[in-house]
Amino acid sequence: MIGIKSYGAYIPLHRLAQADIAKAYDRGGGVGELAVANFDEDTVTMGVEASVDCLKGMERSIVDTLFFATTSPPYREKQSAAIIAQALDLKRQLVANDLCDSLRSGNMALNLATGLVASGKSKNALVVASEVRKGFPGSEYERVLGDAAGALLVGDTDVIASLEAYYCIADEITDVWRMEGDPFVKSWEDRFVFTQGYNRNIKEAIVGLMKKQGLQQKDISKIVFYAPDARNHQAMAKGLGFDPKTQVQDGMFGTVGNTGAAATIFMMVAALESAKPGDMILLAGYGDGADAFLFKVTPEIEKCRGHRGVKGHINSKKALTSYNKMLRVREISPVEMARRPVEVASAPMMLRDRDMVSTMKGVKCKVCGRVQFPKQRVCYHCRTKDQFELYRLSDKTATVFTFCVDHLAATIDPPVIKAIVDFEGGGRTLVTIADRDVENVKIGTTVEMAFRRIHDAMGFRNYIWKSRLVRG
């Protein structure tokens, strides 16, 4: 049996009221809010967050294939899946793949993952879809695009939702695009985009799959499908004959936004959170054609609870104070940084220290059992030399021993909170607390680790593990 074994999701902490966007341009209206990635987040960091949630309680060495899907990778030439694999501490014998440049890349990754598992070339394939798209300031896209990530683990044992059928069509159309170097989403006139692109293709894929399987609308427990906005989502559901109240997965346009290439995987996570054994879930994506999957939920779903998922993130939020702040954290509006020496980076140093910096591995003394970070050659407790084993700290919680608030730090969103934290099980280190929340950071506060950007220096991106207040 081939199908989904586990799921996870991530939504950034910050939300912007759509009314604030309308107000910035002297317009009325604006209902709901959008999830906005912080200045130190991108599709890679959010993909790591969703993957950690998906692999909760699992031995990470079981993953032998990784697909990363997005239209907004941080690099034009460098693999993002390899960065995610390093951060997750996946094994070196891994098939890592990037699937970019298509709104349907999340579904494409899921199709390839199920195919590899079915062929026997993979036992456990992790599908990660993450998105941070930008609309022109003042445009309709700016009012609907949100940021989020989802992850699904595909395998052939302990499956919580088995793959029953797949249907796909390809259709070349220039409706929504970004060319090399374009920071903002572009599209043709709405009527053309919807009637000749989205409506025609996604309907054909869904109807085609149902006809192939001999299904009627009443046979589908939940339908999960991409739509550019709430209006088209609701219209498509009604047009296909599904009950929006009972059969259609919420598109979360008023709580998260249109999450692009991550949308279908992200919404599938939400559908699985409330699914029960026997449910039939139809999943459909769009982008230069469309495709549709049919999954049947198994009794194993009851063993796959406790993930933070969509439910655990959606009400864990903090309002952005203004539209201008959104422009700053999305790096649309330039910010004059504090006058400090230019930041530098070193690729050889990153390679040498990647176990510590990218995977957050310390060491555990084989003699006395003390955990130490960063790595040492001599145990600070029993003085034994070179008797250590690597010890991962990125999945441990910690408590704040002490902290300081730096209002003069060179950052897009001051102040910066630096803290000394003590890990559960041992180990102490200095970290930056991300998504700064000055009022709620206290001595003794519990924090969890978060993979984030440090800066872009020397022409490439630098990542590190920070910490943040526990969410969910």
Side-chain angles (χ1 to χ4, degrees), residues 300-317:
E300 292 291 318
I301 190 77
E302 303 300 347
K303 301 177 184 176
C304 192
R305 304 299 187 192
H307 296 258
R308 189 168 289 168
V310 174
K311 286 183 178 176
H313 282 103
I314 205 159
N315 292 319
S316 171
K317 59 185 179 180

Side-chain angles (χ1 to χ4, degrees), residues 132-254:
V132 180
R133 292 198 297 166
K134 300 174 185 175
F136 277 105
S139 69
E140 180 62 24
Y141 280 111
E142 185 182 53
R143 295 173 57 175
V144 300
L145 298 183
D147 308 328
L152 299 173
L153 182 64
V154 175
D156 58 2
T157 58
D158 304 322
V159 167
I160 62 172
S162 62
L163 177 62
E164 303 294 315
Y166 177 68
Y167 190 91
C168 183
I169 56 174
D171 185 33
E172 199 285 319
I173 179 171
T174 306
D175 55 350
V176 181
W177 70 92
R178 272 180 289 160
M179 291 191 68
E180 183 77 28
D182 283 342
F184 303 115
V185 176
K186 297 178 178 177
S187 71
W188 202 254
E189 182 265 331
D190 281 357
R191 187 173 53 179
F192 171 78
V193 170
F194 298 146
T195 59
Q196 300 303 310
Y198 172 74
N199 290 343
R200 185 167 58 86
N201 280 283
I202 202 157
K203 185 176 181 180
E204 183 179 343
I206 292 171
V207 171
L209 182 137
M210 293 179 64
K211 186 176 180 181
K212 175 184 173 183
Q213 295 302 110
L215 297 171
Q216 297 181 347
Q217 281 76 0
K218 64 179 178 57
D219 300 318
I220 304 298
S221 310
K222 187 80 75 177
I223 182 168
V224 181
F225 62 95
Y226 173 84
D229 53 39
R231 184 181 59 183
N232 279 283
H233 192 252
Q234 192 166 45
M236 180 58 67
K238 289 182 179 177
L240 289 167
F242 291 98
D243 182 353
K245 292 182 178 177
T246 60
Q247 289 181 290
V248 180
Q249 173 59 47
D250 180 10
M252 293 175 274
F253 295 99

Side-chain angles (χ1 to χ4, degrees), residues 308-451:
R308 189 168 289 168
V310 174
K311 286 183 178 176
H313 282 103
I314 205 159
N315 292 319
S316 171
K317 59 185 179 180
K318 182 178 181 181
L320 281 175
T321 51
S322 69
Y323 172 76
N324 284 335
K325 188 165 184 179
M326 183 276 288
L327 294 179
R328 267 204 333 268
V329 300
R330 279 190 164 163
E331 300 179 80
I332 296 172
S333 175
V335 176
E336 183 186 27
M337 303 293 282
R339 296 177 181 85
R340 299 281 193 277
V342 176
E343 292 173 312
V344 296
S346 166
M349 186 178 71
M350 289 173 62
L351 180 66
R352 182 190 66 207
D353 295 336
R354 61 186 180 183
D355 277 346
M356 285 193 298
V357 176
S358 299
T359 316
M360 203 175 197
K361 279 183 175 176
V363 290
K364 187 174 185 179
C365 179
K366 294 179 179 177
V367 177
C368 71
R370 294 293 197 285
V371 176
Q372 291 149 64
F373 187 90
K375 291 190 290 186
Q376 307 290 323
R377 289 197 63 192
V378 178
C379 176
Y380 71 83
H381 181 74
C382 68
R383 307 302 180 190
T384 302
K385 185 179 180 183
D386 293 333
Q387 291 295 312
F388 292 101
E389 60 184 359
L390 290 174
Y391 186 83
R392 189 173 67 219
L393 292 164
S394 61
D395 53 352
K396 306 290 189 297
T397 58
T399 55
V400 175
F401 174 74
T402 188
F403 69 98
C404 68
V405 180
D406 184 352
H407 291 269
L408 300 178
T411 178
I412 290 175
D413 187 28
V416 168
I417 305 176
K418 293 283 188 180
I420 300 289
V421 299
D422 291 326
F423 288 95
E424 59 166 329
R428 169 179 287 188
T429 193
L430 171 69
V431 292
T432 299
I433 297 186
D435 300 332
R436 62 170 184 78
D437 190 346
V438 178
E439 294 76 18
N440 290 313
V441 175
K442 313 286 183 188
I443 291 175
T445 298
T446 302
V447 295
E448 57 190 0
M449 301 303 114
F451 192 65

Side-chain angles (χ1 to χ4, degrees), residues 36-181:
V36 180
N38 210 343
F39 69 92
D40 58 355
E41 295 184 293
D42 62 16
T43 50
V44 165
T45 67
M46 297 199 308
V48 170
E49 293 267 12
S51 301
V52 169
D53 189 35
C54 180
L55 299 175
K56 181 181 178 181
M58 292 182 166
E59 178 54 56
R60 295 184 185 180
S61 61
I62 67 170
V63 178
D64 55 29
T65 306
L66 171 63
F67 288 99
F68 176 62
T70 185
T71 67
S72 309
Y75 286 100
R76 182 55 55 197
E77 181 175 335
K78 174 171 168 50
Q79 196 182 57
S80 298
I83 303 173
I84 294 173
Q86 180 70 35
L88 293 175
D89 193 22
L90 301 184
K91 61 186 179 185
R92 186 172 176 81
Q93 295 75 31
L94 178 84
V95 180
N97 312 270
D98 281 5
L99 286 173
C100 305
D101 302 334
S102 170
L103 268 180
R104 197 154 49 89
S105 57
N107 275 27
M108 292 159 59
L110 182 58
N111 179 44
L112 290 170
T114 54
L116 280 177
V117 173
S119 71
K121 294 181 179 177
S122 173
K123 288 290 291 182
N124 294 285
L126 181 63
V127 174
V128 185
S130 181
E131 194 69 286
V132 180
R133 292 198 297 166
K134 300 174 185 175
F136 277 105
S139 69
E140 180 62 24
Y141 280 111
E142 185 182 53
R143 295 173 57 175
V144 300
L145 298 183
D147 308 328
L152 299 173
L153 182 64
V154 175
D156 58 2
T157 58
D158 304 322
V159 167
I160 62 172
S162 62
L163 177 62
E164 303 294 315
Y166 177 68
Y167 190 91
C168 183
I169 56 174
D171 185 33
E172 199 285 319
I173 179 171
T174 306
D175 55 350
V176 181
W177 70 92
R178 272 180 289 160
M179 291 191 68
E180 183 77 28

